[in-house]
Amino acid sequence: MQPVAQTYQDHSRAIWKLGMPLILSNLAQFAIHITDTVMLGWYDVTALAASTIAGTLFFVIFIVGAGFAQAVTPLVASAAEQGDEVQVRRVTRMGLWLSIFYGFIVTIPFFWAEEILIAIGQDSEVSRLAHIYLQIVIWQMIPALIVMTFKSFLAALEHTAIILWATIGTAVLNVFINYALIFGNWGMPELGIMGAAIASLSVTLITVLVLMIYILRVLPQFELFKNFWRSDGTILRRVFMLGWPIGVTSLAEGGLFSASAIMVGWIGPIELAAHGIAIQLASLTFMVHIGFSQAATVRAGRALGRRDEISLRRGGMTAIGMSAIYAIVTSLIFLAMPEALVSLFIDPNEPERANLLRIGASLVMVAALFQLVDGLQVLALGLLRGVQDTTVPMVMAAISYWVIGLPVSYLLAFTLGFGAVGLWLGLVIGLAIAAVLLLWRFWGRSVKIAPQVLAE
């Protein structure tokens, strides 16, 4: 029996209802990062530098493993749409297995973090403090990956409100623990960077507990932890094969922006500071696109479970349209008031304020171009994950980012002398090519999902 196709209005309402809690939870997660940065910056600049390099190292390792957690979303969404509760449990359990195993393996090198950081040219004092921070935060790796898996499971079942409230609670609790342990307030010891690490670990463990209790009480029919230690080789391979390209794709994109920061640093410290400001603004608006992408993954996964190609294409078009409209609005804001936005990050008494405003404003105007292409490429990745297509998109993204985007950035910035603006234009070109290739892949892939469904 052919499924009843949903209208574009139906898809718009569903994506908005599913995506809004995810968007807000992404913004709350972003707020945690900003809070840590600000509070450690108030405490000590060296501690801030150490936490920055340590956090970058942790994030690069974490983001690869998070691919296994993200693979849970489309697989669970498809199984849930078919009413297969056993399959939902098996997929999530194997996602947890892979996350725990990966987390255990990658924590081992962190015990030599100080030696590693010194070997790659970091300051000795920064390396020492970063080592102290990481000796606590390494125990966060496995719980953080478990949280990601739980969130993927819950998002696939469209239980996104708990994700939002858990993240908001975490953000608030993180502020209080940081305030107590970094500075030694309320009778607590002054632990500095160690206090920030304890705060991060504590809120992650609490989040694991909260989500686990919610799953047991609200979704008991899935018996998620039943026979947890029973292996399932077929599902394990499926989650692994779907998840590792997701992790590598995320690493390729994150690495692109890390490499761009290094290249801007070659131009000069003022340009690097301006780049940091523009990236913060672009990252803030990007949280919304990630939420739309996560919602698109769930909706595409459910359409796949129904073998409903019409809903798959309509839902994809609706998600793309919503992301594009948001991108246009934020682009107009960036173009209308670039200096005002940059000035929010600069001390009025900063001697280099004029130069920072000039360079930062020019980068924010280029970031306006970022909005559409970056949003479209991450939305396309979300749709492709929903139809369980991750390996070819990984290759497309890596080529767009590293083979085209980064070399063009270097050419424009250094060979042609356009500086930081040229570097950002190169990134826009790489992201635009990724968006075109990935969207082309989705439309070509979607028509193969259910050939028995007649075209509109």
Side-chain angles (χ1 to χ4, degrees):
M1 179 178 177
Q2 182 173 319
V4 177
Q6 295 176 305
T7 66
Y8 288 107
Q9 290 79 8
D10 292 333
H11 285 292
S12 179
R13 284 191 294 268
I15 292 170
W16 188 255
K17 180 180 178 180
L18 179 61
M20 182 51 62
L22 295 172
I23 289 168
L24 294 175
S25 66
N26 290 335
L27 292 171
Q29 192 67 47
F30 187 77
I32 293 174
H33 167 71
I34 294 296
T35 299
D36 289 346
T37 300
V38 170
M39 297 184 82
L40 274 174
W42 288 345
Y43 180 76
D44 179 72
V45 173
T46 305
L48 174 59
S51 71
T52 299
I53 191 67
T56 300
L57 182 61
F58 180 91
F59 180 74
V60 166
I61 303 299
F62 170 80
I63 200 172
V64 177
F68 302 125
Q70 291 174 287
V72 168
T73 300
L75 293 171
V76 167
S78 180
E81 191 66 27
Q82 296 170 7
D84 192 344
E85 294 178 355
V86 174
Q87 184 76 344
V88 168
R89 179 173 65 249
R90 293 165 70 197
V91 166
T92 308
R93 185 173 68 219
M94 291 301 98
L96 288 167
W97 269 43
L98 285 168
S99 295
I100 293 169
F101 179 75
Y102 174 87
F104 176 76
I105 294 298
V106 299
T107 55
I108 296 173
F110 281 87
F111 289 105
W112 294 273
E114 184 173 1
E115 290 82 358
I116 293 171
L117 291 170
I118 290 175
I120 62 175
Q122 298 302 309
D123 176 80
S124 59
E125 179 61 15
V126 169
S127 298
R128 186 185 69 82
L129 290 174
H131 180 82
I132 292 172
Y133 182 84
L134 285 169
Q135 296 317 290
I136 298 171
V137 171
I138 55 171
W139 303 109
Q140 183 184 344
M141 181 68 74
I142 291 175
L145 290 170
I146 290 173
V147 167
M148 281 290 295
T149 308
F150 284 164
K151 286 183 176 180
S152 295
F153 164 79
L154 290 165
L157 299 177
E158 303 191 13
H159 283 254
T160 53
I162 180 59
I163 298 174
L164 171 59
W165 292 116
T167 309
I168 290 175
T170 297
V172 174
L173 185 60
N174 185 65
V175 172
F176 283 103
I177 299 177
N178 270 342
Y179 184 72
L181 296 181
I182 292 176
F183 302 98
N185 291 310
W186 301 324
M188 302 300 290
E190 181 182 335
L191 299 177
I193 192 170
M194 188 183 295
I198 293 172
S200 295
L201 176 59
S202 299
V203 297
T204 302
L205 292 173
I206 291 170
T207 305
V208 170
L209 183 61
V210 168
L211 295 181
M212 185 179 292
I213 292 172
Y214 180 89
I215 290 168
L216 289 172
R217 295 190 63 179
V218 179
L219 299 167
Q221 68 272 29
F222 294 102
E223 299 180 302
L224 194 59
F225 305 105
K226 178 182 179 181
N227 300 322
F228 184 79
W229 300 110
R230 179 180 294 175
S231 64
D232 191 325
T234 300
I235 298 299
L236 184 71
R237 285 192 295 274
R238 191 172 178 185
V239 176
F240 177 82
M241 294 306 296
L242 189 64
W244 77 262
I246 296 176
V248 173
T249 302
S250 299
L251 178 63
E253 184 174 10
L256 174 70
F257 287 98
S258 296
S260 70
I262 293 171
M263 290 168 65
V264 173
W266 297 343
I267 301 172
I270 301 300
E271 288 79 4
L272 182 57
H275 171 85
I277 292 170
I279 283 290
Q280 289 288 337
L281 289 167
S283 297
L284 179 62
T285 56
F286 188 61
M287 295 299 105
V288 177
H289 292 294
I290 291 177
F292 282 133
S293 178
Q294 292 167 328
T297 297
V298 175
R299 297 291 296 171
R302 286 189 171 271
L304 175 64
R306 297 191 304 272
R307 313 298 294 176
D308 184 356
E309 189 230 330
I310 292 178
S311 286
L312 176 63
R313 291 192 286 117
R314 283 183 177 176
M317 182 62 73
T318 303
I320 290 167
M322 293 173 72
S323 187
I325 291 170
Y326 170 76
I328 291 170
V329 171
T330 54
S331 294
L332 292 175
I333 293 172
F334 278 19
L335 291 171
M337 47 192 298
E339 287 196 2
L341 292 171
V342 174
S343 67
L344 296 173
F345 294 81
I346 304 174
D347 188 328
N349 299 317
E350 168 61 47
E352 295 289 347
R353 179 179 173 84
N355 284 332
L356 279 170
L357 281 174
R358 176 179 57 82
I359 298 170
S362 64
L363 294 182
V364 168
M365 294 181 74
V366 179
L369 299 176
F370 249 66
Q371 300 303 301
L372 183 60
V373 295
D374 206 10
L376 287 177
Q377 65 93 24
V378 78
L379 201 287
L381 283 171
L383 288 167
L384 287 165
R385 289 168 188 171
V387 296
Q388 301 175 25
D389 183 17
T390 59
T391 303
V392 172
M394 173 191 69
V395 175
M396 289 178 168
I399 291 173
S400 301
Y401 302 154
W402 286 91
V403 179
I404 300 174
L406 203 62
V408 171
S409 291
Y410 185 90
L411 175 68
L412 293 174
F414 299 100
T415 306
L416 299 180
F418 289 105
V421 171
L423 191 145
W424 272 60
L425 287 172
L427 297 180
V428 170
I429 291 170
L431 291 168
I433 291 172
V436 171
L437 290 175
L438 293 168
L439 287 172
W440 171 78
R441 173 72 179 177
F442 172 71
W443 294 119
R445 174 75 170 170
S446 67
V447 298
K448 300 174 184 177
I449 296 301
Q452 73 274 20
V453 178
L454 296 175
E456 291 176 85

